[in-house]
Amino acid sequence: MIAPIALVQELTSAFELGATIVNVTSDAAIEAYEGWGGYGASKAALVALSEATMLELRNDNIRVSCVMPGSVATDFSHPAKHEDESWKLTAEDIAEV
């Protein structure tokens, strides 16, 4: 959470009218997964930060968005969900796009 806060504080004065801040979050922000407590909490905090930043910067016509890119099968994600993950994209699939 420190980096997104610091970046916005440092760069806000350099944003042009109509600029957009995009934060990458995760469904772990809204759905709990065993073993992902810290990760999910940090992503939920990023969503809350994004919403507060949006309110704080609305008079400067600066938009703030959160994106949840979806599940990607990685060594990190596999143990958390006990399901067939064969449908998910791999990092290699995404790199090819």
Side-chain angles (χ1 to χ4, degrees):
M1 286 308 307
I2 295 170
I5 292 170
L7 281 169
V8 168
Q9 288 175 338
E10 183 67 28
L11 298 175
T12 299
S13 62
F15 292 147
E16 295 182 15
L17 220 57
T20 302
I21 298 168
V22 179
N23 289 316
V24 180
T25 187
S26 167
D27 68 337
I30 56 174
E31 183 177 349
Y33 298 112
E34 183 179 346
W36 281 28
Y39 179 80
S42 69
K43 292 301 186 174
L46 183 58
V47 171
L49 173 67
S50 298
E51 292 173 352
T53 303
M54 176 184 64
L55 294 173
E56 293 167 4
L57 298 179
R58 68 177 177 254
N59 292 333
D60 296 325
N61 199 27
I62 296 173
R63 294 177 300 270
V64 181
S65 297
C66 283
V67 294
M68 293 181 185
S71 297
V72 176
T74 65
D75 290 340
F76 176 73
S77 68
H78 184 70
K81 296 181 184 177
H82 304 289
E83 61 185 47
D84 176 16
E85 295 188 356
S86 62
W87 60 270
K88 293 182 183 179
L89 293 173
T90 65
E92 290 78 19
D93 294 332
I94 292 171
E96 292 176 9
V97 174

